[in-house]
Amino acid sequence: LTVFNNHLATNERHNGLSRLKIMELSTMHTHILVIDEPAYVVNAFQNHDLNTDDLRFFYSSLTTPPSVYNYNMVLKKKTLLKEKEIPGGYNSDNYSTERLFATAADGTAIPISLVYKKGIKRDGINPLLLYGYGSYGYSIDPYFNIPVISLLDRGFFYAIAHIRGGEEMGRAWYEDGKMLNKKKTFHDFIDCSEHLIKEGYSSSDRLFAMGGSAGGLLIGAVVNMRPELYKAVIAAVPFVDVVTTMLDETIPLTTGEYDEWGNPNNKTYYDYMLSYSPYDNVKEQAYPHMLITTGFHDSQVQYWEPAKWTAKLRDMNKSDNYILLHTNMDYGHGGASGRFKRYEERAMEYAFLLWLAGK
């Protein structure tokens, strides 16, 4: 809530997107701040003066850099105050964003945010990177992502699958993707992948997937279930040895995680975790190309999890595809820090994708 003498502004979510609703207090009439793009992020921003009709708000999208606007709540007029400058001659008019919905096996509509460079054809032969997370009720909103532009300029589509386990569609969206519902997260991501292929945005030999931490668990589970759907995947600092880790109560984070995954000392939860844990479900089949990353000083997902997972994948993989492990000996769970180091890390990941996409 943002309170003014004459108005009340509320930050809400509707159909998976953030929005601002304005109420005129004297009449109780309300209206929604109109946004022109189909996928975006909007939030009230640093409003310290009660005696004004101007609402200051933050705005960003997959095509629009972080921006600050003033919005006159009486005239319903917004004015751009500042937009983050993107070096290299970036022009948002060269890109388009879309909002799609995939249908899950149980009939649930799963939102997908998509961005691409104008002029690219939807003919099924273009590479597409699909990103997912889907845990802890953390919503992956369609913010502007500078490194992604380098992929778009090389002919990639980029998409975010807003799968259950996040909270994009409300609290129930989170509850429906945790503990004994966790597999819905993985099935949702697969359904989004199949939808993008069906609609001609890409094909299985041009589709790439990426996720980190609990999103790495997502990637690990998905490639066990449907490896043929993807050309390659990136699993960053992935939580993949679920049962072993959750049984070790000496790890500081473990018991607090019972609320997310369940307590494996209870047989019901043990059996369910075992049924999807990426390490425990590696089998003899053809896996896609894989880049697995970890940090030697990672205190959240210790380096030996992705290391032993990599070894098992290499042992059981029936394809000639690469199973690569990159261990950063200097950093932890969050990866490289600093102004440029984090971009160097992302450049390595994207170089892997571009190499396999022939770009």
Side-chain angles (χ1 to χ4, degrees), residues 191-237:
D191 292 332
C192 288
S193 301
E194 291 181 326
H195 181 79
L196 291 165
I197 292 171
K198 178 184 176 183
E199 295 299 315
Y201 290 98
S202 193
S203 59
S204 58
D205 62 348
R206 305 289 280 168
L207 181 61
F208 300 84
M210 182 176 182
S213 192
L217 162 65
L218 163 72
I219 297 299
V222 164
V223 294
N224 281 336
M225 296 163 67
R226 293 292 303 278
E228 79 285 354
L229 267 181
Y230 307 96
K231 173 74 172 181
V233 301
I234 298 175
V237 294

Side-chain angles (χ1 to χ4, degrees), residues 23-156:
M23 175 185 289
E24 186 178 28
L25 294 175
S26 62
T27 64
M28 304 295 280
H29 289 160
T30 63
H31 70 274
I32 304 299
L33 175 62
V34 176
I35 302 296
D36 298 327
E37 293 188 279
Y40 57 86
V41 182
V42 62
N43 291 296
F45 180 75
Q46 295 184 2
N47 292 275
H48 304 302
D49 185 3
L50 295 173
N51 302 300
T52 180
D53 293 325
D54 289 331
L55 168 70
R56 184 164 292 188
F57 69 89
F58 167 89
Y59 179 80
S60 180
S61 75
L62 292 171
T63 64
T64 306
S67 306
V68 178
Y69 282 82
N70 256 2
Y71 178 67
N72 187 287
M73 294 178 283
V74 176
L75 301 177
K76 301 180 182 179
K77 179 181 178 182
K78 54 180 180 280
T79 304
L80 177 64
L81 300 180
K82 183 176 178 59
E83 181 178 286
K84 182 175 182 177
E85 182 179 350
I86 307 301
Y90 175 78
N91 184 349
S92 61
D93 292 336
N94 295 333
Y95 306 88
S96 289
T97 185
E98 295 180 14
R99 186 77 162 177
L100 313 173
F101 287 87
T103 302
D106 62 2
T108 303
I110 313 300
I112 304 170
S113 297
L114 180 80
V115 64
Y116 54 91
K117 192 168 186 178
K118 290 179 180 177
I120 190 173
K121 294 181 179 179
R122 207 174 86 186
D123 52 14
I125 64 172
N126 293 293
L128 185 151
L129 175 59
L130 180 62
Y131 180 84
Y133 187 72
S135 290
Y136 300 106
Y138 186 79
S139 299
I140 306 297
D141 286 320
Y143 286 97
F144 187 75
N145 189 331
I146 293 176
V148 165
I149 303 304
S150 65
L151 294 180
L152 306 184
D153 287 344
R154 290 169 171 84
F156 269 74

Side-chain angles (χ1 to χ4, degrees), residues 345-358:
E345 202 166 55
R346 185 57 55 86
M348 178 197 68
E349 296 167 347
Y350 283 4
F352 173 73
L353 301 177
L354 293 167
W355 168 53
L356 292 171

